Amino acid sequence: MEWMNRFIAITDVLSRADETGLGITEIAARTNLAKGTLHRILLDMVKNEIAVRDERTKRYQLGPRPMIWASRFVAGKDISAALAPFCRDLSRATHFYSYISRYTAGEVYCIYAHQPEDERRTYFVHVGQRMPVHAASAAKSILAFRRANEVSRVLKNVEYTHYTENTIDDVDELRHELARGREEHLSWCIEEMEAGVSAISAPILDTEEHATFSMSIVGNHQEIMKHKELLCDLLKDYAERASSYLQTIRPLMTLG
């Protein structure tokens, strides 16, 4: 499967390129592939619209086909349109940036985000972003309500990337966080991913004891802590509303 590894490596590199694209020398340096091999793969990728090449600059960018795949993945995998109103209402009630995340195949991703009109700061949470299990409250909140054997499998594969001095780097501490999240129906990220920024998440339950989604607010750490009791109450209220709605439409959905 060496060809697949090469294809994925190239696609990953192109997905992180800016609007000017990347030259073949840059791609070779970032993928550790020989230019001859790289040129042949890129030629096939361009033919299949997985990559595009600017004939003037000779630089490459991600093509339209992966974008189509991504949009189909989102359309087929989430119910963000159904849950979005609860997230928007939470954002307006709290005046904090709010978002919904989803668990799929052992990972947690943001599927919807809303920035209130009076919030001028834009946080790094965006649709499609992977939420690290050991640091993101959105991921902890969901895992707190997954089956024990499934959680154990996920935790075995955690890479404890050290984002700040507050980032959890121990599986026992992470398990403690999940247990607390299950008990309180709230999970926290207290400056664990970015200094000065904290988040709170609550599970959106698709059955009484099972979650595939979570709802979160993120913002300035001091503002979060100053209003934490009110924020927690509002977050739990809107998550419970979303849970009730989700459970009514669950027979029509495949949640995972």
Side-chain angles (χ1 to χ4, degrees):
M1 297 294 287
E2 183 62 28
W3 67 271
M4 178 62 76
N5 293 333
R6 292 172 177 174
F7 170 77
I8 292 172
I10 296 168
T11 305
D12 280 345
V13 166
L14 291 179
S15 73
R16 293 190 289 269
D18 61 24
E19 65 274 7
T20 65
L22 293 170
I24 195 166
T25 300
E26 295 169 285
I27 301 172
R30 298 184 190 187
T31 59
N32 292 318
L33 292 174
K35 286 186 179 180
T37 300
L38 183 57
H39 180 75
R40 289 192 295 272
I41 296 174
L42 284 169
L43 185 63
D44 285 337
M45 291 176 71
V46 169
K47 286 180 181 178
N48 288 281
E49 298 185 321
I50 297 169
V52 292
R53 181 174 183 262
D54 187 315
E55 293 303 322
R56 183 178 60 85
T57 64
K58 313 301 183 186
R59 296 171 73 84
Y60 294 86
Q61 291 179 290
L62 206 60
R65 181 163 288 188
M67 299 176 194
I68 295 170
W69 290 339
S71 65
R72 288 175 180 170
F73 172 81
V74 171
K77 284 290 185 181
D78 75 47
I79 55 169
S80 58
L83 296 178
F86 300 99
C87 187
R88 288 196 297 268
D89 289 346
L90 172 67
S91 185
R92 290 163 181 158
T94 61
H95 303 284
F96 278 88
Y97 194 102
S98 303
Y99 56 98
I100 295 172
S101 302
R102 177 187 176 120
Y103 176 93
T104 183
E107 301 280 4
V108 176
Y109 299 91
C110 173
I111 63 168
Y112 179 81
H114 185 268
Q115 181 171 337
E117 294 179 359
D118 53 353
E119 174 60 87
R120 294 293 174 258
R121 292 161 292 189
T122 299
Y123 295 93
F124 63 90
V125 177
H126 56 81
V127 173
Q129 179 177 334
R130 175 180 168 272
M131 314 303 291
V133 168
H134 68 298
S137 60
K140 297 176 196 174
S141 187
I142 294 173
L143 283 181
F145 287 87
R146 301 296 293 191
R147 289 177 288 273
N149 60 343
E150 183 178 17
V151 172
S152 294
R153 287 198 302 271
V154 172
L155 296 190
K156 285 181 180 178
N157 296 317
V158 172
E159 294 182 8
Y160 289 94
T161 302
H162 196 73
Y163 299 106
T164 73
E165 63 181 12
N166 295 320
T167 306
I168 291 175
D169 58 5
D170 178 77
V171 68
D172 291 332
E173 186 179 355
L174 181 53
R175 284 191 177 277
H176 176 75
E177 284 278 295
L178 298 183
R180 187 177 73 168
R182 188 175 183 90
E183 179 181 351
E184 299 178 357
H185 281 232
L186 286 172
S187 296
W188 291 79
C189 169
I190 302 178
E191 297 186 280
E192 294 173 47
M193 293 185 65
E194 183 179 351
V197 176
S198 291
I200 320 171
S201 301
I204 300 175
L205 301 174
D206 45 69
T207 71
E208 188 173 337
E209 298 293 331
H210 189 268
T212 302
F213 305 91
S214 65
M215 186 180 296
S216 310
I217 57 173
V218 62
N220 175 270
H221 171 71
Q222 292 183 347
E223 289 297 311
I224 289 276
M225 300 310 292
K226 180 180 178 181
H227 303 289
K228 68 177 183 178
E229 291 186 8
L230 175 60
L231 293 175
C232 287
D233 287 343
L234 286 169
L235 177 58
K236 289 177 74 171
D237 179 50
Y238 281 99
E240 287 169 4
R241 295 186 200 184
S243 297
S244 296
Y245 178 70
L246 185 61
Q247 289 166 27
T248 65
I249 64 173
R250 188 174 186 272
L252 305 177
M253 310 296 297
T254 300
L255 299 179

